[in-house]
Amino acid sequence: MPPPHPCRDSRPGRVQEAAAALRAAVPGALGAALAAARELGEDLPAPGTGRTGQLWLRLAELARLDLSLARVVEPHLDALAILRQAGLDELADRPAAWGVWAAEAAGHELVARYGSGGWELTGTKAWCSLAAHLDRAVVTASTGGGRRRAFAVDLAHPGVVPGSTEDWRPAGLQDVPTGDVRCTAVPAVPVGPDGWYLERPGFAWGGIGVAACWYGGAAGVADLLWEDAVRRRRPDGRPLDQLGHAALGVVDTHLHAARTALRAAAEQVDAGRAGGDRGAVLALRTRRVVARAAEAVLGEVSAATGPGPLTGAPEHVRRVSALQVYVRQEHAQRDAAALGRALLDGAAGDRPW
């Protein structure tokens, strides 16, 4: 996976326009971003189909361009991959903007019941991004006895009622509204059997796709440091001192580690060596490497550039704030602990390194 460049997808005009609209908070910007997502869904491969590196490179490029755009596109692509893994190609091929709502929250329960008319969902689902803007979603719900299953739902059904997003006021990703959704007898199509959503190999692969977005976002933050260094090389510029060169070297090292981890993970997925427990370890390890790299880049760029960009460069502030929010989808020490447990459980006494 080479370093991301300005987005090179087959329809760059639409993507660039959507990113610019989001950055400028233009009315209808989310609609433009979702239109770009639908078009990219027709062009980009699913993970595990031999071109996983290409997919993750494109996600990184989108995130480098604009993290909010990546936050719109990534779950749409993930939903299409989930549907196809479940053999629901007919649903995946329909023109629609998709989301994936699989987070669980205390005090919220979405229950799936099977009746004479088929499956229906009733209850409340938390952390539903873009609920008022999407056409369809893959949603996880309880089927009783501690079991969970994924379902595809049409969000145009009158039983789907998005709640207020006024409590969603993050410093970053403000233009990707998130809130609760209330469902009442909403018809649902099963996506795999109970437990399949978490047990399928694609669950781990989708998590690495999110990490590719973190990497792209970190590269976008690092661009400020690089552009400043290049300006200083001009005849009228003030050359970098040793600390400035060191900052460039440190940032490059972190981004190289993240890029190398993503490239290696893509190769493992396409070689068929990332299923089951191996896939889970690969995802935890790769996400940890990329998340720590992103956090290190945020800190290094801030230390090297001082308060100026964070007080007088709105685009940089937006990039930093969005990355800080997005990278928290990695659960820090909890994921590190999960990786440690997984390594011990599968090692049979052998060191993983």
Side-chain angles (χ1 to χ4, degrees):
M1 177 177 289
H5 299 285
C7 192
R8 298 178 299 180
D9 60 87
S10 60
R11 297 184 176 108
R14 170 85 73 171
V15 171
Q16 296 281 358
E17 290 169 4
L22 285 168
R23 289 195 295 270
V26 172
L30 279 176
L34 289 167
R38 287 192 291 270
E39 292 187 351
L40 288 168
E42 297 174 2
D43 294 339
L44 295 179
T49 58
R51 294 187 294 154
T52 303
Q54 178 186 342
L55 169 65
W56 291 347
L57 171 61
R58 295 300 180 266
L59 286 174
E61 290 173 344
L62 290 170
R64 186 174 185 175
L65 187 64
D66 187 90
L67 265 173
S68 291
L69 178 60
R71 184 66 184 83
V72 172
V73 172
E74 183 277 324
H76 172 76
L77 298 180
D78 191 34
L80 298 183
I82 293 166
L83 293 170
R84 292 197 166 100
Q85 289 162 11
L88 298 173
D89 294 69
E90 181 182 351
L91 267 180
D93 290 339
R94 294 180 185 176
W98 285 84
V100 179
W101 301 337
E104 305 298 336
H108 298 73
E109 186 175 27
L110 186 63
V111 176
R113 294 188 175 90
Y114 187 81
S116 58
W119 286 95
E120 291 183 344
L121 306 185
T122 295
T124 303
K125 191 68 176 175
W127 301 106
C128 300
S129 295
L130 301 171
H133 303 273
L134 298 172
D135 303 310
R136 297 173 180 270
V138 174
V139 187
T140 56
S142 169
T143 56
R147 299 182 299 273
R148 309 200 69 78
R149 182 181 291 196
F151 295 87
V153 297
D154 184 346
L155 301 180
H157 189 273
V160 178
V161 180
S164 171
T165 59
E166 291 186 1
D167 292 336
W168 177 251
R169 297 177 181 175
L173 298 178
Q174 295 181 16
D175 37 16
V176 185
T178 298
D180 296 346
V181 168
R182 176 70 186 175
C183 296
T184 303
V186 177
V189 177
V191 181
D194 285 353
W196 176 85
Y197 175 82
L198 293 176
E199 294 167 359
R200 64 194 170 87
F203 180 76
W205 307 342
I208 302 174
V210 172
C213 295
W214 302 338
Y215 164 71
V221 170
D223 284 343
L224 177 79
L225 192 65
W226 178 257
E227 291 160 4
D228 178 64
V230 170
R231 280 195 299 269
R232 288 171 176 266
R233 289 177 61 86
R234 296 171 183 166
D236 59 344
R238 186 179 64 187
L240 283 180
D241 59 15
Q242 189 171 8
L243 291 179
H245 286 114
L248 277 180
V250 170
V251 165
D252 176 72
T253 300
H254 289 302
L255 290 176
H256 175 75
R259 191 166 60 247
T260 300
L262 287 165
R263 182 189 294 116
E267 292 171 354
Q268 294 277 8
V269 169
D270 285 337
R273 297 193 296 269
D277 292 341
R278 294 179 69 175
V281 167
L282 180 67
L284 286 165
R285 179 184 287 147
T286 305
R287 283 166 60 91
R288 185 86 282 251
V289 168
V290 177
R292 293 194 71 180
E295 291 163 348
V297 167
L298 284 166
E300 194 68 32
V301 171
S302 177
T305 58
L310 292 175
T311 57
E315 178 60 25
H316 179 68
V317 172
R318 186 174 185 272
R319 288 180 182 277
V320 167
S321 300
L323 182 57
Q324 288 173 329
V325 172
Y326 205 170
V327 81
R328 286 282 56 84
Q329 286 191 11
E330 200 264 353
H331 302 116
Q333 292 305 104
R334 293 184 183 277
D335 276 0
L339 174 58
R341 286 193 299 271
L343 291 172
L344 283 173
D345 289 345
D350 297 328
R351 296 180 181 88
W353 49 84

